Amino acid sequence: MVKVKVLSRNEADFTRERKSDVVKVYRNVDPSVHPFEKGREYVRALNAVKLDRVFAKPLVGAMDGHRDSVYAAAVLRSSLIHYASGACDGELRMWNLAARKTLWNVKAHDGFVKGVCSDAIGQHVATCGTDKTIKFWRAFPYSNDEYEDWADETIDELEDEHVQAQSKSTTNAHMRKSHLSNVSSKLRIKLQQKQMMRRLSQGNSASSSSSSSSSSSDNNDSNDGGGDPPIEPLVTWLGDSPFTSVDANMDTSNPLVVSGGAQVDLWDLMRSEPVHSFAWGADSINCVRFNPVEKQLLGSTASDRSIVFYDTRMRTPVRKLIMHMAANEMCWNPMEAFHFSVGSEDHNAYTFDMRKLKSALNVHMDHVAAVMSVDYSPTGKELVTGSYDRTVRIFDVQQGRSREVYHTKRMQRVFSVRFSLDNQFIMSGSDDANVRLWKSVAWRKLGVITDRERRNFNYKAKLQKRFAYVPEVKRIKTFRRQPRDVLSAKRTKHIIRTSRKEKERRRRLHSKPGAVPHVAERRKKIVKEQS
Amino acid sequence: FQATVTMYNKKGAKVKKKAHQRAHEDGIGDEEEIDLSTLLDDVSETKKKPRKSSQVQNSGAHVLAEAYGEGEHNISSSGQIGDTLTAADLLADLHTMKKDKKVKLMRRTERTSLVELPQEQVDREREERQISKEVVDQQLKEFEKPVRQLQSTPAKSFPLPGHRPTSVVASNLGLQALNHEIYGSYKGAEGLSGIVTKHLREAGLVTGHENLIQTLDGMVGKQDFKAVEEKLIDIDEEELTSIMNDMACRNQAGLAKLRSVMSSTQSKLQRVNKIKSKLYRKIKRKQKDRKEARRLEELEAIDPAAAARMAREKERDQRIRARTTLKHQKKASNMKQKKALARFNPAYREALQGAAERDRQLRSKLLEEPEESSSESSEESDDGPVNEDPLAAVLTTKDALKKELQNKEEQGLLALPFMKRAAQQRQQDLMKDVTDLEEAITLEKSKEFSATEFINTSDTVPDLGTIAEAQGEDTKNTRKRKASSNADQSPSIKPVTTPTPKKKPKKGVSFADESSTTVNSTPSTTTTQEPPSSETAEPSNKKRKNKKKNKQAQAEVENNAVTPAATPATQAKGSATQPKPQAQGNKQTTAKPVLQAAENEDEQPVNPDDVEFEMEIDMNNNENTLEHSDDEDNDVQGDLNDNEYLLGRGLAGDNVKDFDEFTARKEAEIGKDVAPIDMSDALPGWGEWGGKDPKLNIRHKEKVKAKEDERAAEIKKRAAKRKDANKPNVIINENVDTMADRLMVTVLPKAAKNERQHMKRLGTTFDPTLNSELQSRKVVQNKISSLAGVAIHPITIDDKPAKKQKTSRSKTTSKSKTTSKRK
C-alpha cells in the first residue's frame, strides 16, 4: 500500500474560539531559510529614506502681521495652539497657530520687545522691553462666543473623559494615574479659562465705551460686536535700565519673574520692586532662564562672555563660566534638569552639564553665523537653533551635526525659535516680520495616524536606523539643499578649521613633547569656571 | 595696353576724388569701397547716359564670353562693342599720332565709355590690388615704428653745429704777405680784373661778382688791404658753407634714398613671404572660389543650361585631377572613412590587412637595409676581404650561434622562468632567421647565375606597370620614412643585389654579430656605390638629403619608365653588372628596394592606398605595443639596469604585437550587448523552408545588408557612448556592478563596539513576517514617542519611571532560586 501525502488542514486549527485567541501562523522563522532577508530589508530601508525625502515638506505656514522683526517669542504652557511673539516695534501678538491668525495684539513697549515668556499655568504673558519696563499680560483677555462654545464642548468632553478614566479598570496604575492627572489638568485649565472669559465679558459690557487705541483691527475673531475692549497689562514694573530678557518660574505656588538687564532681578507679582538682584561683573545680561525642573535654579548669559547660575534661595550667584565668546540665549533641558544649552556668537551651540562646566557635553556646529536663539524639544532629545545665517537647524542633543536645516527664500535672520509642547512643530520668528510654523520632523504625516500606519512608520524608522551607516542610505538621509551663501561660508569655515588644525599639528610636531597639548573641541572654547 | 591702364588710373584717380566727394556728401560708404573701374563707368554714364539695354548686354557679356567659346555665341571676344575703344587701338595710335590728335583722343575717351575691359580681368586686378594693399599695409605696420624712429633721429648735417670752418686764406699764415703783394700790384677794373671780367662776361660765366670786384678794386685803390683781406675771408667762408650745405643735402638725400630702398626691400621680402605663406594661399583660394561661385550664379541667371554645363565641367576637372594626383586619398578624412569601412566589412578589412602586411614588410626592409649597408661598410673596412662567400659566412654564424646558445647561462633576474622562456623563443627565432638566410643565399646564388645569362641574351622591355607601381611605392615609403623618427638612413645606402630574405637577424645581438658580418659580407662586386660618409656622420642633415635623393630617385625611375633601356633584371643587378655614369649610380640604387619589394610580393602591385592605411594602423601599433625589434636591439649583452631592456625581455614571450586581435575583442565586447541579426524575415522562406544555405536574390541580399548595416550602426552608436570610446588600447567593462561599494561600510560605526556587534545588528531582522507580532511591535517601538496634540511637560520629581513587570519566566526563576535557598 502506497502512502500518499496530501495537504490537509483541519478547520478547527484555524478557527478562533475567542476574540483574543491568536491565530497560528505556519511560518518558518529560521533565518537560514531566508538568506535574502537582509537584502530585502536594506531595500526597504533605502526606499524608506527616499520616501522620507520625497515627503519632506517642513513649512506648514508663515504668519504675517508684525510690522517689524520678531525678536522674542514664547509658547504658552497651557495651550498647544497659542503663541506669543514680540517685535522690534514694541508690538506683542498672540497667535492662534491652528488657524494661523492673530488673536490679539497690543503695543506693549516703546522700542524693542526684548523678552516674552509664559507663566507656569500658561494664563499670562510677561514681556520686557528697552523702555525699562516689564509688563504682565493676560493671555486671553477677551471673551468670545465661539471660543466659549468651543470651551464648553471641550470641557464636556474632558469631563466625560475624566469620568471614564476614573471608572476605567486599567491594569497599569501608573498610566491610569498619569492619564487622570493629564485630563484633570486640562479640565482645570479649561474651567479657569471659561471663568475668566465670563468675568471679562461681564466687565467689558460694563465698560464697553472705553476702547483702547492699542488694540488692532485684525483681531476680529476674538472680539465682541461692541468694539475692542482695552488690553491693559495686569502689572507693570519699572526698572533702572533697559531689560533684555524675562522669564517666569514653573513654581505655581510661588510665582516669580526674573529679568535680565544691567543685572538679574527677581520680581514678585505682588510687589513693585525687585525682590532681589544678582550681579556678578558689570555687564549687560543677554538672557535669563529658570530651570523648569529645579524651580529655584536659574541661569543667565551675559555680554561679558559669562554664563552665571543663581539660586533664588541664596543671596549670591552660584557659579560662573566664562567662554571665548558671548552666548546669546540659553535653555534648560526639560527632561534632564542639569543639562542646558547655549547659542553662542561663535556660530555654535554648546550643551553643558552644569555639574561639570570644564567641558561641554557637546558642540553643535553647522551654523555659519551667530546662533541667536535656542530651545529644547519637550522630550529633551532635540535642540532647535535659529541663527543669523537665516536658517533654523535641528540637532540631536548627542550629535554635533544638525539633522535638519530649514530655510526659505524669504526668511531672514532668525531671532527666536521655539518647540511646541507636543514636540510636533517649531515656531520661528525672523527679521522679515514673520512667524513661521515648521514641522519638527519634515516628512511626518499630519492628521490622524492609524495604528497600522504608526507601526509602519516605526518599522521604517527602525530600518533606517539599522542601515544608517550604509553609505547610500547615509548619503540620502543626510543630504540637504542649502542656500548658496551658507554653503560657501561653510566651505570657507572648513578651510579655516582645517588650516588651523594643520598649523597646530605642525606646531606640535616642532615643539617639545607636551608643550602644545591636544585640547578637545569641547574644552577649547571654555576660558574659566568660577564659583 | 599698359599705357591705357595707367591712363585709366590717372583719370580714375581724379574721378575717384570727385566720386568720393559726392559719396561723402551723400553720406554713402567710404573711399575703400569705391571701385575704380565702376567709377570710370559712372563718369561716362554721367556725361553720356547709355541705353539701358546695351548696359545690360555689356554687363553680361564677359560672363557669356566665358561660358561660350568664340563663335558659339554672337559676341566678339575682342570686346569692342558699339562706340567703345579697345586698348589695342589706343596702343597702335598712341605712338604715331600727333599731339592734337592725342588730345582729341583723350577727350574722346573721356566722353565715351573707354574700353570694355574684361570683367574678369578687372575683378582680378582689383582683388590683387586689394590683397597686395592689405598685405603691404599689414607688413608696413610692423615697420612703421622703427621707420618713424629712424626718421626722428637727428641726421648728421654739415656744417656741424659749433664748428666754424677755418678759412683757407686765414689758415695760411704766409698768405697775408702774398695777398698784400697781389693786391698791391692790383690795377683795378681797367687792368687785369677788367680783362678777366670782360672775358668771363663774354663766356657768360661770371655775373655775380662784378660788384664785388668793383668794391675790391675800390678798396685796393684806397690801399685798405686789411679790409680786402677780411672781405675775401668772408667770401671764402660763404663759399665753403654753401659747399658744405650742398654736401649735407646730398648726403641727406642719399640717406633718405637708402632708407626708402631698405624699407621697400623689407616690405617686398615680407610680401613675398606672405605670398608664399599657407594662409595667404588659402585666402586667395577662397576668394577665387567665391568669385567663381558668384560668376556661376550670374551665368545661371542669364543661361541656366550653360551654368549647369560649366558646373559639370568643373566637377569633371576636379575628378580628373583627383584621380591623377590621388590627393584626396591622402587626407585624414579618407583614412577615417576607410577605417570605418574596415571595421564593419570583414572582406574589406582582410584586404586592407593584407595590404598592410605587405607594406609593413616593405617598410621594414627600407628601414633595415641602410643599417645593414652602413654596418657593412664598417665591416668591410674592418675585415678587409669582402669577397667572402656569403653562404660560408652564414654557416659560420649558424655554428657560432649554436655554440653561443649552448654556452649561455643566465643569472639573476634573467634566470627567472619567464625570462628564460622569452630568451629561448628569441633564440629560436634567430636560428630560424639564420637558416632562412642560408636558404636565401643558396637560392640567390642560383638566381644570380641565371640572371647573368639572361642579361646577356635578353632585350625585353621592362614592365612599365611594375615600375610605375614601384615608383608609387617609393614615393609613399620615402614620405613615410621621412615622418618616422627611425628613418635616418636613406635607401641609397642599401646594397644592391642581395636578395632580401623575409626575416633577417637584427643588429646588435652578440652572437648575431658574426651573422651580421656574414650578412653584410655580400660580394663587393655587387655594391659599387659606397654610402656617403656624411649620412652617418650628420644625422641632422639626413632628412633634407634623403628628400633630395628621393626626388632624384623618383626622377630616375620616371626616366627609366619612359625610356626602357634596361631590363628589370639589370636594374635589380644594379650598376655592378651594367656600369653607368657616377651621377646616375646613386639614383639607381635608391629605386632598388622598391623594385625588390615588388618582386618579393610575387609581382603583385601593391595598392598605395592600402599601404597608406595600414601604415597608420602600424603606427598605432607602435604606439601601443612594445616592439619586438626594440628589445632585440639591446640583447643579451644589454644592461641589466636598463628597465626597457628588462621589460623587453620580460614581455618577449607575450604576443603584444597582435593589436588587431585586441581591437576585434573590443568590438566583440561592444557587440555582445547588441542583439544578433534575426534573418528569419530577410531570408527566403520561413524557418527552414528555404533550406540551409538559401540562394539569395538581390532583394534578399539588400535586406540582409540593411540588417547588417543597422546592427553595425547600433554597435557604432553604442561604441561612441562607451567610456573607452576614445581609448583604443583599453576595454572598460561597463557591466560591473558598483552596488557592492555602496553597501560596504568602510568605518566601524560608533554605535558598535566591534565588527561582530555591527554585523549582528545588521543581521537582526525586524520583519513582521519573520517575527511574532508582539515581538515585532516591541522591536520597532520608538524609544521616544510623542503624540500630536498632547503636551509634554517638563519632568517632575513625581514622574518616576514605571517599574519593569516581572515576566513569568523571571518569576519562576526567582521562585526556584528562593526554593533552592530554602532547601
Side-chain angles (χ1 to χ4, degrees), chain B residues 89-90 92-99 101-103 105:
Chain B
D89 292 344
L90 285 169
D93 291 340
L94 210 63
H95 299 294
T96 53
M97 66 180 60
K98 287 178 183 175
K99 198 180 177 183
K101 208 176 178 184
K102 268 187 190 176
V103 171
L105 188 64

Side-chain angles (χ1 to χ4, degrees), chain A residues 321 323 333 336-342 349-364 376 380 383 396-400 520-524 526, chain B residues 750:
Chain A
L321 172 73
M323 295 182 74
N333 190 328
E336 289 170 291
F338 32 82
H339 289 172
F340 69 95
S341 294
V342 292
Y350 297 87
T351 301
F352 287 95
D353 186 335
M354 70 165 290
R355 298 166 297 181
K356 296 171 188 173
L357 292 173
K358 280 183 182 171
S359 159
L361 283 179
N362 221 330
V363 184
H364 311 283
Y376 265 102
L383 197 67
D396 190 313
V397 175
Q398 291 178 347
Q399 299 292 322
E521 200 67 33
R522 297 171 179 195
R523 289 171 187 268
K524 260 183 191 170
I526 295 161
Chain B
K750 278 182 186 175

